[in-house]
Amino acid sequence: MDVEILSRLQFAVTIAFHYIYPPLSIGLGVFMVITEGMYLKTKDKFYEQMTKFWVKVFALTFAIGVATGIVMEFEFGTNWATYSRFVGDVFGSALAAEGIFAFFLESGFLAVLVFGWDKVGPKMHFLSTLMVALGSMFSAIWIVVANSWMQTPAGYHIVGEGLNARAEITDFWAMVFNPSSIDRLLHTISGCWLAGAFLVISVAAYYLLKDKHIRFAKSSIKIALVMALIASLFQLFTGHQSAVGVAKNQPAKLAAMEAVFDDQTNAPLYLFGWVNEDNQEVKFGIAIPSMLSYLIGWDANTKVTGLNSFPEDERPPVNIVFQAYHLMVAIGFMLIAISVLGVFLWWKGTLFKHRWLLWIFVFSVLLPQIANQVGWITAEVGRQPWIVYGLMKTSEGLSKAVQAGQVWYSLIMFTLIYIGLFILFIYLLNNKIQHGPEEADLIPSEIGHPKA
């Protein structure tokens, strides 16, 4: 493999590992704000104990997330130096904003959140929980803004020529609110909420199956189910808005997502299929006639631009984008179905009487993680061959001095280290789950967790 493929593979491996943890931290942050807020409102110590348990899980995901994210910053300088020089002004501003708005909140209040239970008052501790949760979301906001600028550049001009060319910001807020940033941000954040909610649901369902920490588990599932239902329905809305934005701003990506090769109105929407790129056809697929045109324009006569309207060297790989996109959509509907079913059975009073449903809850933790990964693949592979859409191709962003052998060495090293960190994460998480919430079952109050 050449340097470009190896460098792309190395970045994909490191960001895939990293992207497991921030969504969990962001989702758990919201859950902790809810449970600690319930403690402040009801004065029921049960919710304080519940928050303490999830704070420990949050601290673990936060620590591993920070450790796995550092490597990527070095990769920008080592493997992608030409790209870094080109976007340095834009990325520098976004990352500086992340440092001010996100790390300030997280680093300032994280110690109070984890160690301050008996050292500050309940309101001050709740403020710390709120600030850490906001900080984790602010971090995601600025990373998504920077990435969205790569998808739909705005608020810049180009200075210099050749290898000395670089993008310089002319309008900071136009850069921040570029055409795709809001849609992508809302879609990403709601995906993070789903990751956190289904981690809570999974762990709590495991406790119920093992007949342990019953009150803790039932209350956790109910709170997380409400959060999952809201987030999954919001995810459907933001997903549609994102697709409409892609149709307008990155038509080649939309064409790859739905395997549209020729310009057409009444374009069909595929439920699934296998794309034969050589013959430009979808095999073994089921399609809803005219639905794609209708969804992106609320009119079946809306024209969808096909891949053949773009030069061959400016078309993304089709089948991998098609499969990743359809898997993400399928999982999105599965998460809605699980959330709706759970809330419905809660309303019927039979939520905890079905062991098959508890087993679904246990394994449901994997679904948001898979959806986040394939969603990222759809977004990033779908904009190829551009590293900055319409401005710089991925092949042009490589460092000029790096050799394939050097990237091979670092790729193997990082992969082994990340596998080791993942094993350590699973080991520590399992320890916390097996230990369970401290004293939760000893608290006599039944407030807020009636029997189902």
Side-chain angles (χ1 to χ4, degrees):
M1 286 189 278
D2 61 22
V3 175
E4 180 186 344
I5 296 298
L6 286 169
S7 296
R8 289 175 61 184
L9 182 60
Q10 180 173 307
F11 198 82
V13 167
T14 51
I15 201 169
F17 270 104
H18 174 66
Y19 198 34
I20 295 171
Y21 309 103
L24 290 175
S25 300
I26 293 170
L28 285 178
V30 174
F31 184 84
M32 294 184 318
V33 168
I34 294 172
T35 55
E36 193 165 2
M38 293 172 73
Y39 164 60
L40 281 183
K41 181 176 177 59
T42 64
K43 307 300 180 187
D44 186 344
K45 294 287 285 184
F46 181 82
Y47 293 112
E48 183 188 48
Q49 299 290 21
M50 180 186 288
T51 309
K52 283 183 177 180
F53 174 78
W54 292 111
V55 164
K56 293 177 183 176
V57 178
F58 172 89
L60 174 62
T61 59
F62 183 85
I64 301 290
V66 170
T68 53
I70 293 172
V71 170
M72 286 180 289
E73 296 183 19
F74 291 109
E75 287 180 60
F76 285 129
T78 54
N79 297 3
W80 302 99
T82 306
Y83 158 78
S84 297
R85 189 163 46 246
F86 182 73
V87 301
D89 187 51
V90 178
F91 261 51
S93 301
L95 294 180
E98 182 197 14
I100 294 171
F101 294 106
F103 288 150
F104 173 76
L105 290 176
E106 290 173 335
S107 59
F109 289 97
L110 184 62
V112 180
L113 168 66
V114 177
F115 302 110
W117 289 103
D118 301 319
K119 298 178 177 60
V120 299
K123 291 182 179 178
M124 181 62 204
H125 194 274
F126 176 71
L127 177 65
S128 302
T129 306
L130 186 62
M131 291 300 104
V132 171
L134 283 175
S136 62
M137 277 195 278
F138 282 149
S139 181
I141 287 171
W142 288 107
I143 295 298
V144 172
V145 164
N147 183 272
S148 296
W149 186 86
M150 294 162 61
Q151 308 275 348
T152 52
Y156 72 96
H157 66 179
I158 303 296
V159 296
E161 296 180 352
L163 290 176
N164 294 320
R166 61 185 178 85
E168 192 174 83
I169 295 176
T170 57
D171 185 337
F172 178 76
W173 294 112
M175 182 275 289
V176 171
F177 295 103
N178 65 73
S180 66
S181 61
I182 297 299
D183 290 337
R184 300 181 75 247
L185 178 62
L186 295 176
H187 198 55
T188 302
I189 291 293
S190 52
C192 295
W193 292 359
L194 283 171
F198 277 94
L199 174 64
V200 173
I201 290 171
S202 174
V203 173
Y206 171 79
Y207 285 150
L208 291 180
L209 287 168
K210 295 295 181 182
D211 201 25
K212 296 165 59 176
H213 315 303
I214 302 301
R215 294 170 50 209
F216 169 87
K218 288 183 176 179
S219 291
S220 293
I221 285 180
K222 289 175 179 176
I223 297 168
L225 265 181
V226 174
M227 184 174 156
L229 180 62
I230 295 171
S232 60
L233 293 175
F234 189 59
Q235 186 81 327
L236 181 63
F237 169 75
T238 59
H240 170 71
Q241 290 298 111
S242 294
V244 172
V246 169
K248 179 181 179 183
N249 302 308
Q250 295 175 292
K253 181 191 287 188
L254 181 78
M257 287 159 61
E258 285 293 348
V260 178
F261 290 93
D262 296 317
D263 295 358
Q264 57 182 291
T265 57
N266 295 293
L269 180 79
Y270 279 94
L271 300 180
F272 59 85
W274 187 262
V275 183
N276 185 324
E277 296 186 44
D278 294 331
N279 295 333
Q280 299 194 349
E281 63 178 359
V282 179
K283 303 185 71 175
F284 317 116
I286 291 182
I288 303 175
S290 304
M291 184 56 76
L292 177 60
S293 290
Y294 183 77
L295 285 178
I296 63 171
W298 300 120
D299 184 347
N301 291 317
T302 303
K303 179 182 173 183
V304 177
T305 305
L307 288 160
N308 291 333
S309 293
F310 301 91
E312 274 193 52
D313 63 349
E314 295 184 8
R315 301 174 192 169
V318 182
N319 203 27
I320 185 172
V321 177
F322 180 95
Q323 301 302 340
Y325 172 68
H326 283 77
L327 180 57
M328 176 187 68
V329 173
I331 291 175
F333 280 103
M334 290 170 66
L335 293 173
I336 292 174
I338 293 172
S339 304
V340 170
L341 177 62
V343 171
F344 174 73
L345 293 178
W346 176 13
W347 176 70
K348 294 279 288 183
T350 60
L351 176 60
F352 304 117
K353 295 179 180 178
H354 307 287
R355 290 184 66 84
W356 59 268
L357 181 62
L358 295 178
W359 279 114
I360 290 176
F361 281 169
V362 168
F363 289 104
S364 66
V365 68
L366 299 174
L367 295 177
Q369 292 292 341
I370 297 171
N372 287 337
Q373 296 286 336
V374 293
W376 172 79
I377 290 172
T378 302
E380 300 307 301
V381 179
R383 70 178 155 94
Q384 296 301 318
W386 301 102
I387 194 169
V388 182
Y389 202 75
L391 293 180
M392 172 180 269
K393 290 187 174 179
T394 307
S395 58
E396 299 168 342
L398 287 166
S399 300
K400 305 305 178 187
V402 175
Q403 304 296 316
Q406 296 169 318
V407 185
W408 262 119
Y409 175 79
S410 54
L411 171 60
I412 293 170
M413 181 183 67
F414 286 140
T415 302
L416 293 175
I417 291 173
Y418 275 41
I419 289 173
L421 283 173
F422 182 71
I423 293 171
L424 176 65
F425 170 73
I426 295 297
Y427 172 78
L428 294 175
L429 179 62
N430 183 61
N431 271 357
K432 295 185 184 304
I433 293 172
Q434 296 303 325
H435 185 272
E438 295 180 2
E439 303 176 0
D441 291 345
L442 302 179
I443 298 172
S445 174
E446 291 284 346
I447 297 174
H449 38 82
K451 295 177 181 178

